[in-house]
Every structure is written in structure tokens, then in C-alpha cells.
Coordinates of all heavy atoms in Angstrom, one line a residue:
N88 N 87.5 74.7 106.3 CA 88.1 75.8 105.7 C 87.3 77.1 106.1 O 86.1 77.1 106.0 CB 88.0 75.7 104.1 CG 88.6 76.9 103.4 OD1 88.8 77.9 104.0 ND2 88.9 76.7 102.2
Y89 N 87.9 78.0 106.7 CA 87.3 79.2 107.3 C 87.5 80.4 106.4 O 87.3 81.5 106.9 CB 87.7 79.4 108.7 CG 87.4 78.2 109.6 CD1 88.4 77.3 109.8 CD2 86.2 78.1 110.1 CE1 88.1 76.2 110.6 CE2 85.9 77.0 110.9 CZ 86.8 76.0 111.1 OH 86.5 75.0 111.9
S90 N 87.9 80.3 105.2 CA 88.2 81.5 104.4 C 87.1 82.0 103.5 O 87.3 82.9 102.8 CB 89.5 81.1 103.5 OG 89.1 80.1 102.6
N91 N 85.9 81.4 103.6 CA 84.9 81.7 102.7 C 83.7 82.4 103.4 O 82.6 82.5 102.8 CB 84.3 80.5 102.0 CG 85.4 79.8 101.2 OD1 86.2 80.5 100.5 ND2 85.5 78.5 101.2
H92 N 83.9 83.0 104.5 CA 82.8 83.7 105.2 C 82.7 85.1 104.8 O 83.8 85.8 104.6 CB 83.0 83.6 106.8 CG 83.0 82.2 107.3 ND1 81.9 81.4 107.2 CD2 84.0 81.5 107.9 CE1 82.2 80.2 107.7 NE2 83.5 80.3 108.2
T93 N 81.5 85.6 104.7 CA 81.4 87.0 104.3 C 80.2 87.6 105.1 O 79.3 86.9 105.5 CB 81.1 87.3 102.8 OG1 79.9 86.6 102.4 CG2 82.2 86.7 102.0
F94 N 80.2 88.9 105.3 CA 79.0 89.6 105.7 C 79.1 91.0 105.0 O 80.1 91.5 104.6 CB 78.9 89.7 107.2 CG 79.9 90.6 107.9 CD1 79.8 92.0 108.0 CD2 81.1 90.0 108.4 CE1 80.7 92.7 108.7 CE2 82.0 90.8 109.1 CZ 81.8 92.2 109.2
T95 N 77.9 91.6 105.0 CA 77.8 93.0 104.3 C 77.2 93.9 105.3 O 76.2 93.6 106.0 CB 76.9 92.9 103.1 OG1 77.5 91.9 102.1 CG2 76.9 94.3 102.4
Y96 N 77.9 95.1 105.4 CA 77.4 96.2 106.3 C 77.4 97.5 105.5 O 78.5 97.9 105.0 CB 78.2 96.3 107.5 CG 77.9 97.6 108.3 CD1 76.8 97.7 109.1 CD2 78.8 98.7 108.1 CE1 76.5 98.9 109.7 CE2 78.5 99.9 108.8 CZ 77.3 100.0 109.6 OH 77.0 101.2 110.2
N97 N 76.3 98.1 105.3 CA 76.2 99.4 104.7 C 76.9 99.4 103.3 O 77.6 100.4 103.0 CB 76.8 100.5 105.6 CG 76.2 101.9 105.3 OD1 75.2 102.0 104.6 ND2 77.0 102.9 105.7
G98 N 76.7 98.4 102.5 CA 77.3 98.3 101.2 C 78.7 97.8 101.2 O 79.3 97.7 100.1
I99 N 79.3 97.5 102.3 CA 80.7 97.0 102.4 C 80.6 95.5 102.7 O 80.1 95.1 103.6 CB 81.4 97.7 103.6 CG1 81.4 99.2 103.4 CG2 82.8 97.2 103.7 CD1 81.7 100.0 104.7
T100 N 81.2 94.8 101.7 CA 81.3 93.3 101.9 C 82.6 93.0 102.5 O 83.7 93.4 102.0 CB 81.1 92.6 100.5 OG1 79.8 93.0 100.0 CG2 81.2 91.1 100.7
V101 N 82.6 92.2 103.6 CA 83.8 91.8 104.3 C 83.9 90.3 104.2 O 83.0 89.6 104.6 CB 83.7 92.3 105.8 CG1 84.9 91.9 106.5 CG2 83.5 93.8 105.9
K102 N 85.1 89.9 103.7 CA 85.4 88.5 103.6 C 86.4 88.2 104.8 O 87.3 89.0 105.1 CB 86.1 88.1 102.3 CG 85.2 88.2 101.1 CD 85.9 87.8 99.9 CE 85.0 88.0 98.7 NZ 85.7 87.7 97.4
H103 N 86.2 87.1 105.5 CA 87.0 86.8 106.6 C 87.2 85.3 106.8 O 86.5 84.5 106.3 CB 86.5 87.5 107.9 CG 85.2 86.9 108.3 ND1 85.1 85.8 109.1 CD2 83.9 87.3 108.0 CE1 83.8 85.5 109.3 NE2 83.1 86.4 108.7
N104 N 88.2 85.0 107.7 CA 88.4 83.6 108.0 C 88.4 83.4 109.5 O 89.1 82.5 110.0 CB 89.8 83.1 107.4 CG 90.9 83.9 108.0 OD1 90.7 84.9 108.6 ND2 92.1 83.5 107.7
L105 N 87.6 84.1 110.2 CA 87.5 84.1 111.6 C 86.8 82.9 112.2 O 85.8 82.4 111.6 CB 86.9 85.4 112.2 CG 87.5 86.7 111.8 CD1 86.7 87.9 112.3 CD2 89.0 86.7 112.3
I106 N 87.3 82.4 113.3 CA 86.6 81.3 114.0 C 86.2 81.9 115.3 O 86.9 82.6 116.0 CB 87.6 80.2 114.3 CG1 88.2 79.6 113.0 CG2 87.0 79.1 115.1 CD1 89.3 78.6 113.2
G107 N 84.9 81.7 115.7 CA 84.4 82.1 117.0 C 83.6 83.4 116.8 O 84.0 84.3 116.2
K108 N 82.4 83.3 117.4 CA 81.5 84.5 117.4 C 82.1 85.8 117.9 O 81.9 86.8 117.4 CB 80.2 84.2 118.1 CG 79.3 83.3 117.5 CD 77.9 83.2 118.1 CE 78.0 82.6 119.5 NZ 76.7 82.4 120.2
H109 N 82.9 85.6 119.0 CA 83.5 86.8 119.6 C 84.4 87.5 118.6 O 84.5 88.7 118.6 CB 84.3 86.4 120.9 CG 85.3 85.4 120.7 ND1 85.1 84.1 120.4 CD2 86.7 85.5 120.8 CE1 86.2 83.5 120.3 NE2 87.2 84.3 120.5
N110 N 85.2 86.8 117.8 CA 86.0 87.4 116.8 C 85.2 88.1 115.7 O 85.6 89.2 115.3 CB 87.0 86.4 116.2 CG 88.1 85.9 117.1 OD1 88.6 86.8 117.9 ND2 88.4 84.7 117.1
I111 N 84.1 87.5 115.3 CA 83.3 88.1 114.3 C 82.6 89.3 114.8 O 82.5 90.3 114.2 CB 82.3 87.0 113.8 CG1 83.0 85.9 113.1 CG2 81.3 87.7 112.8 CD1 82.2 84.7 112.8
Y112 N 82.1 89.3 116.1 CA 81.5 90.4 116.7 C 82.5 91.6 116.8 O 82.2 92.8 116.5 CB 81.0 90.1 118.1 CG 79.8 89.2 118.1 CD1 79.5 88.5 119.3 CD2 79.0 89.0 117.0 CE1 78.4 87.6 119.4 CE2 77.9 88.1 117.1 CZ 77.6 87.5 118.2 OH 76.6 86.6 118.3
N113 N 83.8 91.3 117.1 CA 84.8 92.3 117.2 C 85.0 92.9 115.8 O 85.2 94.2 115.7 CB 86.1 91.8 117.8 CG 86.0 91.5 119.3 OD1 85.2 92.1 119.9 ND2 86.9 90.7 119.8
L114 N 85.1 92.1 114.8 CA 85.3 92.6 113.4 C 84.1 93.5 113.0 O 84.3 94.6 112.4 CB 85.5 91.4 112.4 CG 85.6 91.8 111.0 CD1 86.8 92.7 110.7 CD2 85.6 90.6 110.1
M115 N 82.9 93.0 113.3 CA 81.7 93.8 112.9 C 81.7 95.2 113.6 O 81.4 96.2 113.0 CB 80.5 93.0 113.2 CG 80.3 91.8 112.3 SD 78.9 90.7 112.9 CE 77.6 91.6 112.2
A116 N 82.1 95.2 114.9 CA 82.2 96.4 115.7 C 83.2 97.4 115.1 O 83.0 98.6 114.9 CB 82.5 96.1 117.1
T117 N 84.3 96.8 114.6 CA 85.4 97.6 114.0 C 84.9 98.3 112.7 O 85.1 99.5 112.5 CB 86.6 96.8 113.7 OG1 87.1 96.2 115.0 CG2 87.7 97.6 113.1
I118 N 84.2 97.5 111.9 CA 83.7 98.0 110.6 C 82.7 99.1 110.9 O 82.7 100.2 110.3 CB 83.0 96.9 109.8 CG1 84.1 95.8 109.4 CG2 82.3 97.4 108.6 CD1 85.1 96.3 108.5
I119 N 81.8 98.9 111.8 CA 80.8 99.9 112.1 C 81.4 101.2 112.7 O 81.0 102.3 112.2 CB 79.7 99.4 113.2 CG1 78.9 98.3 112.5 CG2 78.8 100.5 113.7 CD1 78.1 97.4 113.4
V120 N 82.4 101.1 113.6 CA 83.0 102.3 114.1 C 83.8 103.1 113.0 O 83.6 104.3 112.9 CB 83.9 101.9 115.3 CG1 84.8 103.1 115.7 CG2 83.1 101.5 116.5
L121 N 84.5 102.3 112.2 CA 85.3 103.0 111.1 C 84.3 103.7 110.2 O 84.5 104.9 109.8 CB 86.1 102.0 110.4 CG 87.3 101.4 111.1 CD1 88.0 100.3 110.3 CD2 88.3 102.5 111.5
D122 N 83.2 103.1 109.9 CA 82.2 103.7 109.0 C 81.6 104.9 109.6 O 81.4 105.9 109.0 CB 81.1 102.6 108.6 CG 80.1 103.2 107.6 OD1 80.5 103.6 106.6 OD2 78.9 103.1 107.9
K123 N 81.2 104.8 110.9 CA 80.6 106.0 111.6 C 81.5 107.1 111.7 O 81.1 108.3 111.7 CB 80.1 105.6 112.9 CG 78.9 104.6 112.9 CD 77.7 105.1 112.2 CE 76.6 104.1 112.3 NZ 75.4 104.5 111.4
M124 N 82.8 106.8 111.8 CA 83.9 107.9 111.8 C 84.1 108.5 110.5 O 84.9 109.5 110.3 CB 85.1 107.4 112.4 CG 85.0 107.0 113.9 SD 86.5 106.2 114.6 CE 87.6 107.6 114.5
G125 N 83.5 107.9 109.4 CA 83.7 108.4 108.1 C 85.1 108.0 107.5 O 85.5 108.6 106.5
L126 N 85.7 107.0 108.0 CA 87.0 106.6 107.5 C 86.8 105.6 106.4 O 85.9 104.7 106.4 CB 87.8 106.0 108.6 CG 88.2 106.9 109.8 CD1 88.8 106.2 110.9 CD2 89.0 108.1 109.3
K127 N 87.7 105.6 105.4 CA 87.7 104.6 104.3 C 88.1 103.3 104.9 O 89.0 103.1 105.7 CB 88.7 105.0 103.3 CG 88.7 104.1 102.1 CD 89.7 104.6 101.0 CE 89.6 103.6 99.8 NZ 90.8 102.8 99.7
I128 N 87.3 102.3 104.5 CA 87.5 100.9 105.0 C 88.1 100.0 104.0 O 87.5 99.8 102.9 CB 86.2 100.3 105.6 CG1 85.6 101.2 106.7 CG2 86.4 98.9 106.0 CD1 84.2 100.8 107.1
D129 N 89.4 99.6 104.2 CA 90.0 98.7 103.3 C 90.0 97.3 103.9 O 90.8 97.0 104.8 CB 91.5 99.1 103.1 CG 92.2 98.2 102.1 OD1 91.6 97.2 101.6 OD2 93.4 98.4 101.9
T130 N 89.0 96.5 103.5 CA 88.8 95.2 104.2 C 89.9 94.2 103.8 O 90.0 93.2 104.5 CB 87.5 94.6 103.8 OG1 87.4 94.5 102.4 CG2 86.3 95.5 104.3
S131 N 90.7 94.5 102.8 CA 91.8 93.5 102.4 C 92.8 93.4 103.5 O 93.6 92.4 103.5 CB 92.4 93.9 101.1 OG 93.1 95.1 101.2
C132 N 92.9 94.4 104.4 CA 94.0 94.3 105.4 C 93.5 93.9 106.8 O 94.3 93.8 107.7 CB 94.7 95.6 105.5 SG 93.7 97.0 106.1
L133 N 92.2 93.6 106.9 CA 91.7 93.1 108.2 C 92.0 91.7 108.5 O 91.7 90.8 107.7 CB 90.2 93.3 108.2 CG 89.7 94.8 108.1 CD1 88.2 94.8 108.0 CD2 90.1 95.6 109.3
Q134 N 92.7 91.5 109.6 CA 93.0 90.1 110.0 C 93.3 90.1 111.5 O 93.5 91.1 112.1 CB 94.2 89.6 109.2 CG 95.4 90.4 109.4 CD 96.6 89.9 108.5 OE1 96.4 89.1 107.6 NE2 97.8 90.4 108.8
L135 N 93.2 88.9 112.0 CA 93.5 88.7 113.4 C 95.0 88.9 113.7 O 95.8 88.5 112.8 CB 93.1 87.3 113.9 CG 91.6 87.1 114.1 CD1 91.4 85.6 114.4 CD2 91.1 87.9 115.2
P136 N 95.4 89.3 114.8 CA 96.8 89.3 115.1 C 97.3 87.9 115.2 O 96.6 86.9 115.4 CB 96.9 89.9 116.6 CG 95.5 90.4 116.8 CD 94.5 89.8 115.9
K137 N 98.6 87.7 114.9 CA 99.3 86.4 115.0 C 99.0 85.8 116.3 O 99.0 86.5 117.4 CB 100.8 86.5 114.8 CG 101.2 86.9 113.4 CD 101.0 85.7 112.5 CE 101.6 86.0 111.1 NZ 101.2 85.0 110.2
G138 N 98.7 84.5 116.3 CA 98.4 83.8 117.5 C 97.0 83.7 118.0 O 96.7 83.2 119.0
R139 N 96.1 84.3 117.2 CA 94.7 84.3 117.6 C 93.9 83.4 116.6 O 93.7 83.7 115.5 CB 94.1 85.7 117.5 CG 94.6 86.7 118.5 CD 94.6 86.2 120.0 NE 93.4 85.4 120.4 CZ 92.6 85.7 121.3 NH1 92.7 86.8 122.0 NH2 91.6 84.9 121.6
M140 N 93.5 82.2 117.1 CA 92.8 81.2 116.4 C 93.3 80.9 115.0 O 92.6 80.8 114.0 CB 91.3 81.7 116.3 CG 90.6 81.9 117.6 SD 90.4 80.4 118.6 CE 89.0 79.6 117.8
E141 N 94.7 80.8 114.9 CA 95.3 80.5 113.7 C 95.2 79.0 113.4 O 95.3 78.2 114.3 CB 96.8 80.8 113.7 CG 97.1 82.3 113.7 CD 98.5 82.6 113.7 OE1 99.1 82.6 114.7 OE2 99.1 82.7 112.6
T142 N 94.9 78.6 112.2 CA 94.8 77.2 111.9 C 95.9 76.8 110.9 O 96.3 77.5 110.0 CB 93.4 76.8 111.2 OG1 93.3 77.6 110.0 CG2 92.3 77.1 112.1
Y143 N 96.5 75.6 111.2 CA 97.5 75.0 110.4 C 97.2 73.6 110.1 O 96.6 72.9 110.9 CB 98.9 75.1 111.1 CG 99.3 76.5 111.5 CD1 99.0 77.0 112.7 CD2 100.0 77.2 110.6 CE1 99.5 78.3 113.0 CE2 100.5 78.5 110.9 CZ 100.2 79.0 112.1 OH 100.6 80.3 112.5
N144 N 97.6 73.1 108.9 CA 97.4 71.7 108.5 C 98.8 71.1 108.6 O 99.8 71.6 108.1 CB 96.9 71.6 107.1 CG 95.4 72.1 107.1 OD1 94.6 71.7 107.9 ND2 95.1 72.8 106.1
Y145 N 98.9 70.0 109.3 CA 100.2 69.2 109.4 C 99.8 67.8 109.2 O 99.1 67.2 110.1 CB 100.8 69.5 110.8 CG 102.1 68.7 111.0 CD1 103.2 69.1 110.3 CD2 102.1 67.6 111.8 CE1 104.4 68.3 110.5 CE2 103.3 66.8 112.0 CZ 104.4 67.2 111.3 OH 105.6 66.5 111.5
K146 N 100.3 67.2 108.1 CA 100.0 65.8 107.7 C 98.5 65.7 107.7 O 97.8 66.4 107.0 CB 100.7 64.9 108.6 CG 102.2 65.0 108.5 CD 103.0 63.9 109.3 CE 104.5 64.1 109.2 NZ 105.2 63.2 109.9
D147 N 97.9 64.8 108.5 CA 96.5 64.6 108.6 C 95.8 65.3 109.7 O 94.7 65.0 110.1 CB 96.2 63.1 108.7 CG 96.6 62.3 107.4 OD1 96.5 62.9 106.4 OD2 96.9 61.1 107.5
N148 N 96.5 66.3 110.3 CA 96.0 66.9 111.5 C 95.7 68.4 111.2 O 96.4 69.1 110.5 CB 97.0 66.8 112.7 CG 97.3 65.4 113.0 OD1 96.4 64.7 113.4 ND2 98.6 65.0 112.8
K149 N 94.7 69.0 111.9 CA 94.5 70.4 111.9 C 94.9 70.9 113.3 O 94.5 70.4 114.3 CB 93.0 70.7 111.7 CG 92.8 72.2 111.7 CD 91.3 72.6 111.3 CE 91.0 72.3 109.9 NZ 91.4 73.3 108.9
I150 N 95.8 71.9 113.3 CA 96.3 72.5 114.5 C 95.8 73.9 114.6 O 95.8 74.7 113.7 CB 97.9 72.5 114.5 CG1 98.4 71.1 114.3 CG2 98.4 73.2 115.7 CD1 99.9 71.0 114.0
I151 N 95.2 74.2 115.8 CA 94.7 75.5 116.0 C 95.5 76.2 117.1 O 95.6 75.6 118.2 CB 93.2 75.5 116.4 CG1 92.4 74.8 115.3 CG2 92.7 76.9 116.7 CD1 90.9 74.6 115.7
V152 N 96.1 77.3 116.9 CA 96.9 78.1 117.9 C 96.1 79.3 118.3 O 95.6 80.1 117.5 CB 98.2 78.5 117.2 CG1 99.0 79.3 118.2 CG2 99.0 77.3 116.8
D153 N 96.0 79.4 119.6 CA 95.4 80.6 120.2 C 96.1 80.9 121.5 O 96.2 80.1 122.4 CB 93.9 80.4 120.4 CG 93.2 81.7 120.8 OD1 92.8 82.5 119.8 OD2 93.1 82.0 122.0
Y154 N 96.5 82.2 121.6 CA 97.2 82.6 122.8 C 96.2 83.3 123.8 O 96.4 84.4 124.2 CB 98.4 83.5 122.5 CG 99.5 82.9 121.7 CD1 99.8 83.4 120.4 CD2 100.1 81.8 122.1 CE1 100.8 82.8 119.7 CE2 101.1 81.1 121.4 CZ 101.4 81.6 120.2 OH 102.4 81.0 119.4
A155 N 95.2 82.5 124.1 CA 94.2 83.1 125.0 C 94.8 83.3 126.4 O 95.6 82.4 126.9 CB 93.0 82.1 125.2
H156 N 94.5 84.4 127.0 CA 95.2 84.7 128.3 C 94.3 85.2 129.4 O 94.8 85.6 130.5 CB 96.3 85.8 128.0 CG 95.7 87.1 127.4 ND1 95.4 87.2 126.1 CD2 95.3 88.2 128.0 CE1 94.9 88.3 125.8 NE2 94.8 89.0 127.0
T157 N 93.0 85.1 129.2 CA 92.1 85.4 130.3 C 91.2 84.2 130.4 O 91.0 83.4 129.5 CB 91.3 86.6 130.0 OG1 90.4 86.4 128.9 CG2 92.1 87.9 129.8
P158 N 90.6 84.0 131.6 CA 89.6 82.9 131.8 C 88.5 82.9 130.7 O 88.2 81.8 130.2 CB 89.1 83.1 133.2 CG 90.2 83.8 133.9 CD 90.8 84.7 132.9
D159 N 88.0 84.1 130.4 CA 86.9 84.1 129.4 C 87.4 83.8 128.0 O 86.7 83.1 127.3 CB 86.2 85.5 129.4 CG 85.1 85.5 128.4 OD1 84.1 84.7 128.7 OD2 85.1 86.3 127.5
A160 N 88.6 84.2 127.7 CA 89.2 83.9 126.4 C 89.4 82.4 126.2 O 89.1 81.8 125.2 CB 90.5 84.7 126.2
I161 N 89.9 81.8 127.3 CA 90.1 80.3 127.3 C 88.8 79.6 127.1 O 88.6 78.7 126.4 CB 90.9 79.9 128.5 CG1 92.3 80.5 128.4 CG2 90.9 78.4 128.6 CD1 93.1 80.3 129.7
K162 N 87.8 80.1 127.9 CA 86.4 79.5 127.8 C 85.9 79.6 126.3 O 85.4 78.6 125.8 CB 85.5 80.2 128.8 CG 84.1 79.7 128.7 CD 83.2 80.4 129.7 CE 81.7 80.1 129.4 NZ 80.9 81.0 130.2
Q163 N 86.0 80.8 125.7 CA 85.5 80.9 124.4 C 86.3 80.0 123.4 O 85.7 79.5 122.5 CB 85.7 82.4 123.9 CG 84.8 83.4 124.6 CD 83.4 83.1 124.4 OE1 83.0 82.8 123.3 NE2 82.5 83.4 125.4
Y164 N 87.6 79.9 123.6 CA 88.4 79.1 122.7 C 87.9 77.6 122.8 O 87.7 77.0 121.7 CB 89.9 79.2 123.2 CG 90.8 78.2 122.5 CD1 91.2 78.5 121.2 CD2 91.2 77.0 123.1 CE1 92.0 77.6 120.5 CE2 92.0 76.1 122.4 CZ 92.4 76.4 121.1 OH 93.2 75.5 120.5
Y165 N 87.8 77.1 124.0 CA 87.3 75.7 124.1 C 85.9 75.5 123.6 O 85.6 74.5 123.0 CB 87.5 75.2 125.5 CG 88.9 74.9 125.8 CD1 89.6 75.6 126.8 CD2 89.6 73.9 125.1 CE1 91.0 75.3 127.0 CE2 90.9 73.6 125.3 CZ 91.6 74.3 126.3 OH 92.9 74.0 126.6
H166 N 85.0 76.5 123.8 CA 83.7 76.4 123.3 C 83.7 76.2 121.7 O 83.0 75.4 121.2 CB 82.9 77.6 123.7 CG 81.5 77.7 123.0 ND1 80.5 76.9 123.5 CD2 81.1 78.4 122.0 CE1 79.4 77.2 122.7 NE2 79.8 78.1 121.8
H167 N 84.5 77.1 121.1 CA 84.5 77.1 119.6 C 85.3 75.9 119.1 O 85.0 75.4 118.0 CB 85.0 78.4 119.1 CG 84.0 79.5 119.4 ND1 82.8 79.6 118.8 CD2 84.1 80.5 120.3 CE1 82.1 80.6 119.3 NE2 82.9 81.2 120.2
L168 N 86.3 75.4 119.8 CA 87.0 74.2 119.4 C 86.1 73.0 119.5 O 86.1 72.2 118.6 CB 88.2 74.0 120.3 CG 89.1 72.8 120.0 CD1 89.7 72.9 118.7 CD2 90.2 72.7 121.1
L169 N 85.2 72.9 120.5 CA 84.3 71.9 120.6 C 83.3 71.9 119.4 O 83.0 70.8 118.8 CB 83.5 72.0 121.9 CG 82.5 70.9 122.1 CD1 83.1 69.5 122.2 CD2 81.8 71.1 123.5
I170 N 82.8 73.1 119.0 CA 82.0 73.2 117.8 C 82.7 72.7 116.6 O 82.1 71.9 115.8 CB 81.5 74.6 117.7 CG1 80.5 75.0 118.8 CG2 80.8 74.8 116.3 CD1 80.1 76.4 118.8
I171 N 83.9 73.0 116.4 CA 84.7 72.6 115.3 C 84.8 71.1 115.2 O 84.6 70.4 114.2 CB 86.1 73.3 115.2 CG1 86.0 74.7 115.0 CG2 87.0 72.6 114.2 CD1 87.2 75.5 115.3
I172 N 85.1 70.5 116.4 CA 85.3 69.0 116.5 C 83.9 68.3 116.1 O 83.9 67.4 115.4 CB 85.8 68.6 117.9 CG1 87.2 69.1 118.0 CG2 85.7 67.1 118.1 CD1 87.7 69.0 119.4
I173 N 82.8 68.8 116.7 CA 81.5 68.2 116.4 C 81.1 68.4 115.0 O 80.6 67.4 114.4 CB 80.5 68.9 117.3 CG1 80.7 68.5 118.8 CG2 79.1 68.5 116.9 CD1 79.9 69.2 119.8
C174 N 81.4 69.5 114.3 CA 81.0 69.8 113.0 C 81.9 69.2 111.9 O 81.6 69.3 110.7 CB 80.9 71.2 112.8 SG 79.5 72.0 113.8
T175 N 83.1 68.6 112.3 CA 84.0 68.1 111.2 C 84.0 66.6 111.3 O 83.5 65.9 112.1 CB 85.4 68.6 111.4 OG1 85.9 68.4 112.7 CG2 85.4 70.1 111.1

């Protein structure tokens, strides 16, 4: 279950269900930039676009969908998929 992760930045607590360090780094960068720009941050609407590391349960199987489209994105996907397999 990836829905229980949180981090706090400058008094803002962000809950997320992201898989992969690259996704978490992107989220953290987004929060920092929005904060530095003085914009109100509504963390309830932050989510990955459809097709990015989405997880589904089907019968006894966990299905992960990711529309990686660059060599680095595919490498990151398989790296984090391997970690998931090892840790479960």
C-alpha cells in the first residue's frame, strides 16, 4: 500500500502514494517552487497523471501501469519495480 507516505516542508504536510524516488523528488520540487512563488498550496489535488506508476489489484495480482517513454524513464520504472518485488 503506497497511500500512507508523508513528508513535511515549511509547515506543509504532504500525503502521497507515489512510487519511485524520481516521482517523490518531482513532487518535492513542485512544493518548494510553489511555496517560493508565494502561491497557496492545496496538497489534496496533487497526484500523478494517469498512466504514471498506477497500481491496481486484480484477483491475487498487483498490476502496475506506467507509460514510460524514454530510456531513463524505463530504467527508473524497472529499478523501482524490482525494489517492490524484493520488498513484498
Side-chain angles (χ1 to χ4, degrees):
N88 182 345
Y89 300 98
S90 61
N91 298 321
H92 299 297
T93 63
F94 68 85
T95 301
Y96 168 77
N97 202 19
I99 302 163
T100 300
V101 179
K102 295 180 183 178
H103 64 87
N104 61 350
L105 301 177
I106 301 171
K108 286 190 294 187
H109 59 290
N110 287 322
I111 296 167
Y112 292 159
N113 288 339
L114 175 60
M115 293 171 80
T117 300
I118 296 295
I119 291 168
V120 168
L121 291 173
D122 183 54
K123 295 296 181 190
M124 292 176 68
L126 298 173
K127 181 177 181 254
I128 300 170
D129 180 4
T130 60
S131 66
C132 64
L133 296 174
Q134 61 187 10
L135 285 174
K137 290 284 187 194
R139 293 309 322 240
M140 300 297 279
E141 290 182 273
T142 59
Y143 299 94
N144 294 314
Y145 178 73
K146 297 184 181 180
D147 292 332
N148 302 296
K149 180 176 289 280
I150 300 167
I151 301 174
V152 175
D153 190 86
Y154 297 120
H156 57 278
T157 65
D159 184 60
I161 293 169
K162 178 182 170 187
Q163 293 295 326
Y164 173 79
Y165 283 116
H166 171 78
H167 294 291
L168 182 60
L169 181 60
I170 291 170
I171 291 167
I172 291 169
I173 291 171
C174 294
T175 56

